[in-house]
């Protein structure tokens, strides 16, 4: 890699080849994700892509790491990736991202690699079963263009890993989220939300709740109630602080009962 400015031209066109190695079974999904992360990181920041946490470790050398990534295989490659992700900091990246990659490489977190963007309902069903998706786009130059509300495929990929950390880092919180998403999925399948989904203002926020909100389940319930209040305020043409009708209050209570989580919460299988 001759200079940081040359890095994008040299590295990003290699990503479709990494995807081919994964599809052919040469590398598994977690290794593919770690390689994808490091290629993008070097392409974005050049020689300044990482820094050591411990002065006893060698300074990160992009050319040396790339050579290892191209020649190492199997267990040896995985060990290098585990060491790098665990012992180095990565410029412009919060620590949750390499932590999620480490846990994926260790087989501790059941992440699902996707080459497309799953629909909100797909994400809901995965989360109800204790999984999260991570989208990796490798078509060049498409990967350099915006992906939904993110500026490029790398930012979208990191966002998925940040959500993976929020979902899995605490077993107690994970179990609570699983229980809430299971209740939400069952309510959806019973048609509880059918009267609301024709309203664009509700639907967009409901999709966010289903697929892009990893927090304490009580916060998720409060968010759901808030978007139901907004729905009925619009329907009844009322201002924010005006009281809703008794009928609206009862309808909201019915929805909230439908997504109630039994106590004690059951861990997801």
């Amino acid at each position: 890699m001759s200079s940081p400015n040359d890095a994008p031209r040299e590295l990003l066109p290699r990503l479709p080849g990494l995807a081919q190695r994964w599809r052919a079974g040469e590398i598994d999904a977690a290794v593919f994700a770690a390689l994808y992360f490091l290629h993008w990181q070097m392409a974005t920041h050049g020689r300044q892509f990482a820094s050591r946490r411990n002065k006893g470790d060698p300074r990160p050398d992009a050319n040396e790491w790339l050579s290892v990534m191209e020649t190492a295989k199997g267990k040896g490659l995985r060990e290098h990736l585990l060491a790098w992700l665990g012992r180095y900091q990565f410029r412009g990246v919060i620590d949750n991202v390499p932590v999620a990659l480490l846990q994926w490489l260790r087989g501790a977190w059941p992440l699902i690699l996707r080459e497309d963007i799953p629909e909100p309902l797909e994400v809901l069903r995965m989360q109800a079963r204790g999984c999260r998706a991570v989208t990796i786009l490798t078509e060049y130059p498409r990967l350099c263009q915006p992906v939904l509300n993110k500026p490029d495929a790398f930012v979208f990929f990191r966002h998925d890993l940040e959500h993976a950390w929020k979902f899995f880092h605490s077993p107690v919180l994970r179990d609570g989220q699983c229980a809430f998403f299971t209740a939400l999925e069952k309510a959806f399948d019973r048609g509880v939300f059918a009267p609301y989904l024709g309203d664009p203002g509700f639907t967009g926020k409901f999709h966010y709740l289903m697929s892009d909100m990893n927090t304490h389940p009580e916060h998720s319930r409060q968010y759901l109630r808030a978007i139901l209040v907004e729905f009925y305020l619009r329907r009844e043409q009322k201002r924010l602080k005006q009281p809703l009708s008794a009928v609206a209050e009862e309808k909201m209570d019915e929805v909230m009962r439908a997504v109630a989580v039994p106590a004690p919460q059951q861990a997801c299988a």
Side-chain angles (χ1 to χ4, degrees):
M1 188 164 60
S2 57
S3 74
N5 291 332
D6 291 337
R9 291 198 300 273
E10 290 182 2
L11 295 181
L12 297 185
R14 300 184 188 182
L15 296 179
L18 285 180
Q20 287 290 86
R21 291 173 63 188
W22 167 63
R23 296 186 198 113
E26 181 184 337
I27 55 177
D28 65 26
V31 168
F32 175 28
L35 293 173
Y36 183 85
F37 169 77
L38 291 170
H39 277 73
W40 256 110
Q41 190 68 14
M42 293 175 186
T44 303
H45 298 292
R47 295 187 183 93
Q48 305 302 315
F49 75 100
S51 61
R52 55 189 178 174
R53 298 178 187 272
N54 189 321
K55 291 184 178 180
D57 288 327
R59 295 183 185 277
D61 183 292
N63 287 324
E64 181 181 329
W65 287 27
L66 282 168
S67 177
V68 170
M69 288 189 282
E70 290 168 359
T71 58
K73 299 184 183 300
K75 184 179 178 181
L77 176 57
R78 186 179 299 274
E79 288 177 350
H80 277 290
L81 294 172
L82 287 167
W84 292 337
L85 291 166
R87 300 186 68 86
Y88 290 84
Q89 294 176 312
F90 297 91
R91 186 173 182 180
V93 177
I94 64 173
D95 285 345
N96 297 355
V97 170
V99 167
L101 287 169
L102 279 169
Q103 296 293 67
W104 198 357
L105 283 164
R106 292 167 180 156
W109 291 358
L111 297 173
I112 300 170
L113 192 153
R114 295 283 294 255
E115 293 189 273
D116 63 346
I117 302 169
E119 294 296 325
L121 183 57
E122 290 182 84
V123 179
L124 172 64
R125 297 198 191 284
M126 282 186 270
Q127 293 184 126
R129 288 153 184 78
C131 304
R132 278 286 308 184
V134 176
T135 291
I136 293 182
L137 302 179
T138 58
E139 182 183 346
Y140 184 82
R142 170 66 184 90
L143 54 84
C144 299
Q145 299 165 3
V147 180
L148 297 185
N149 62 342
K150 304 301 179 187
D152 57 45
F154 188 42
V155 177
F156 194 87
F157 167 76
R158 297 200 322 257
H159 178 75
D160 275 348
L161 290 171
E162 290 167 14
H163 273 280
W165 185 89
K166 292 176 183 178
F167 190 69
F168 288 111
H169 80 280
S170 164
V172 172
L173 183 57
R174 178 204 60 207
D175 290 348
Q177 290 184 75
C178 277
F180 172 76
F181 288 127
T182 296
L184 192 67
E185 178 190 34
K186 290 178 178 177
F188 180 91
D189 289 343
R190 292 199 308 271
V192 169
F193 297 101
Y196 305 95
L197 295 177
D199 180 89
F202 178 87
T203 301
K205 293 180 178 180
F206 186 62
H207 285 171
Y208 175 79
L209 173 67
M210 295 165 76
S211 62
D212 206 31
M213 190 172 181
N214 293 110
T215 184
H216 191 283
E218 188 54 36
H219 295 165
S220 297
R221 283 175 52 81
Q222 291 171 5
Y223 178 84
L224 174 59
R225 185 170 184 85
I227 65 176
L228 288 167
V229 168
E230 290 176 353
F231 172 87
Y232 281 108
L233 285 172
R234 287 192 297 272
R235 171 165 286 193
E236 297 182 353
Q237 298 182 333
K238 292 181 175 178
R239 294 187 299 275
L240 184 60
K241 294 186 178 181
Q242 287 184 287
L244 292 171
S245 67
V247 171
E249 292 286 356
E250 177 56 30
K251 292 290 186 183
M252 289 193 298
D253 287 344
E254 289 176 5
V255 173
M256 299 311 296
R257 287 194 295 270
V259 298
V261 176
Q265 294 177 354
Q266 299 295 316
C268 292

